[in-house]
């Protein structure tokens, strides 16, 4: 039988409430902890199959909805309670969190479907991984119902103040309002979406690094799911290995840090231009997801991109035609009249001596000098 175990956890007494970034991190740790659990041994060695888990983190802790198949309510509750405590203890960051309650509810819809489909063409698959995938969507829908009071617009607007390197004018706000028609409200939503998007982008880039490390391969050979690295120019897919992914992740962290600490001046290298491209896309997706992407906010993001990008020369990298391939062959490793051309080997090379590239990511040498 399929059950939903609702587990409520809280942060240690006296600890400060979790901010947005801490909530993202805690959610990731909980999800990864449960991802490593395929099954749980209940009382008397009874096997409990973990189908899916949905995590919702709030300032004071987290609520987990764990979907399991178990022979009884008691077995499901005992097994999930034990594995939740184990997941918390295995994470040094969450080791002191407290499990406040664990309640098992029969998921009647899934149970009815299972009974009606028994031995029929719609019978649940025997493969646990396939069953887990089928339940994922329904798990998400269940959690969304529990989150009806969530106000994403207010949360995104509250994040805008953290984008300290930019003013409303960067987003097209003018007095009087000009042809862009961007007011302070539209600029605030755009700024907040960039901060929100930065947290999501960095978290997903971390997952991409881990995926390449687990398979010891590059993007071209990766069989697992990738969030962003497979969206980079396809012609270089075989060169996006774990080291590249780590350098790209550090570049994203460094750039978004300068966005939020007030230290940003100009983009430092081509890799930062690509990070910004992903960040703008993530901001659009976030706003569209919550029905907040209207013409005014779109114009605000366009103004921001125009102000921060000095040019759009990097876009040719995404040209998959013959012209793009020819230009890539000419540029890769070649020097132009203004210095190194933007071939793959120069993605982390500073545009100039006055530009910032994180020391971990920066190219030490564009080209090794030849012996005289």
């Amino acid at each position: 039988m399929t059950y939903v175990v609702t587990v409520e956890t809280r942060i240690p007494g006296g600890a400060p409430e979790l901010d947005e970034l801490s909530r993202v991190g805690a959610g990731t740790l909980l999800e990864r902890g449960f991802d490593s659990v395929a099954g749980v041994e209940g009382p008397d060695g009874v096997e409990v199959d973990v189908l899916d888990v949905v995590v919702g983190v709030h300032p004071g802790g987290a609520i987990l909805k764990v979907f399991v198949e178990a022979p009884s309510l008691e077995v499901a509750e005992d097994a999930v309670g034990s594995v939740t405590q184990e997941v918390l203890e295995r994470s040094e960051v969450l080791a002191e969190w407290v499990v406040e309650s664990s309640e098992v509810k029969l998921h009647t819809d899934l149970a009815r479907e299972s009974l009606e489909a028994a031995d029929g063409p719609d019978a649940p698959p025997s493969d646990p991984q396939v069953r887990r995938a089928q339940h994922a969507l329904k798990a998400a829908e269940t959690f969304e119902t529990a989150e009806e009071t969530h106000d994403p617009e207010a949360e995104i607007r509250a994040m805008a103040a953290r984008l300290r390197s930019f003013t409303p004018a960067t987003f097209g706000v003018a007095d009087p309002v000009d042809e862009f028609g961007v007011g302070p409200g539209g600029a605030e939503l755009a700024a907040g979406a960039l901060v929100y998007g930065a947290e999501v982008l960095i978290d997903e880039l971390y997952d991409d690094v881990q995926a390449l490390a687990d398979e010891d391969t590059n993007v071209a050979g990766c069989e697992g799911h990738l969030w962003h690295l497979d969206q980079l120019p396809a012609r270089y897919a075989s060169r996006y290995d774990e080291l590249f992914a780590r350098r790209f992740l550090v570049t994203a962290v460094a750039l978004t840090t300068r966005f939020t600490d007030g230290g940003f001046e100009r983009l430092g290298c081509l890799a930062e231009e690509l990070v910004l491209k992903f960040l703008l896309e993530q901001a659009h997706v976030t706003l569209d997801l919550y029905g907040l992407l209207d013409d005014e906010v779109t114009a605000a993001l366009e103004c921001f991109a125009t102000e921060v990008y000095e040019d759009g020369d990097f876009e040719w990298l995404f040209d998959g035609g013959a012209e793009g391939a020819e230009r890539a062959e000419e540029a890769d490793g070649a020097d132009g009249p203004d210095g190194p051309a933007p071939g793959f080997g120069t993605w982390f090379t500073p545009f100039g001596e006055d530009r910032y590239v994180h020391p971990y990511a920066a190219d030490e040498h564009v080209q090794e000098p030849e012996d005289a």
Side-chain angles (χ1 to χ4, degrees), residues 64-286:
L64 298 85
K65 290 187 177 293
V66 186
F67 285 65
V68 297
E69 284 189 355
S72 69
L73 291 166
E74 293 77 10
V75 170
E77 183 175 20
D78 182 84
V80 173
S82 298
V83 76
T84 302
Q85 189 64 49
E86 181 181 344
V87 167
L88 291 173
E89 291 175 354
R90 280 195 315 219
S91 169
E92 295 182 6
V93 178
L94 308 179
E96 296 183 1
W97 281 36
V98 178
V99 177
E100 283 197 316
S101 64
S102 177
E103 182 181 4
V104 179
K105 297 180 179 179
L106 177 64
H107 197 302
T108 55
D109 290 339
L110 294 180
R112 188 184 306 109
E113 289 177 12
S114 297
L115 291 172
E116 291 176 352
D119 300 323
D122 298 322
S126 58
D127 187 337
Q129 295 301 322
V130 177
R131 289 201 305 275
R132 180 179 179 132
Q134 285 187 350
H135 284 288
L137 180 59
K138 293 178 182 179
E141 292 172 347
T142 301
F143 186 72
E144 286 172 4
T145 302
E147 290 288 290
E148 290 178 351
T149 59
H150 174 58
D151 187 351
E153 181 176 353
E155 182 177 342
I156 291 172
R157 287 188 183 278
M159 292 184 178
R162 295 167 55 188
L163 203 69
R164 297 184 179 92
S165 289
F166 307 99
T167 67
T170 312
F171 294 89
V173 177
D175 186 17
V177 177
D178 60 12
E179 68 272 15
F180 291 108
V182 178
E188 184 180 57
L189 269 177
L194 287 168
V195 176
Y196 186 102
E199 295 178 358
V200 175
L201 174 63
I202 290 171
D203 189 51
E204 292 176 348
L205 284 174
Y206 178 88
D207 286 346
D208 283 0
V209 172
Q210 193 63 46
L212 296 181
D214 289 345
E215 296 187 26
D216 190 21
T217 187
N218 51 48
V219 168
C222 184
E223 297 181 357
H225 174 73
L226 294 171
W227 291 101
H228 296 284
L229 294 183
D230 58 345
Q231 302 302 311
L232 289 170
R235 63 173 55 88
Y236 298 119
S238 63
R239 301 171 76 171
Y240 306 144
D241 55 13
E242 181 191 350
L243 175 59
F244 169 87
R246 285 192 271 118
R247 294 172 74 192
F248 196 81
L249 171 60
V250 168
T251 299
V253 173
L255 178 62
T256 53
T257 298
R258 300 196 332 266
F259 278 6
T260 55
D261 70 4
F264 177 79
E265 294 182 359
R266 290 182 292 178
L267 296 174
C269 61
L270 191 144
E272 287 196 347
E273 293 183 322
L274 296 172
V275 167
L276 180 55
K277 175 181 171 65
F278 285 159
L279 179 57
L280 287 165
E281 290 173 352
Q282 186 64 58
H284 278 87
V285 169
T286 298

Side-chain angles (χ1 to χ4, degrees), residues 7-67:
V7 183
E8 295 188 6
T9 66
R10 63 171 173 83
I11 57 179
E17 290 191 342
L18 304 173
D19 58 21
E20 292 90 346
L21 187 57
S22 297
R23 295 203 295 269
V24 171
T28 300
L29 290 173
L30 288 168
E31 288 171 355
R32 288 181 180 152
F34 273 91
D35 282 344
S36 65
V37 179
V40 185
E41 186 173 307
D44 301 323
V46 176
E47 185 71 19
V48 176
D49 187 17
V50 179
L51 303 175
D52 194 54
V53 61
V54 181
V55 179
V57 184
H58 53 84
I63 298 175
L64 298 85
K65 290 187 177 293
V66 186
F67 285 65

Side-chain angles (χ1 to χ4, degrees), residues 236 239 316 327-335 341-347:
Y236 298 119
R239 301 171 76 171
W316 70 264
R327 187 171 179 181
E329 184 177 353
E330 293 175 354
D332 205 7
D335 288 341
F344 179 80
T346 63
W347 284 18

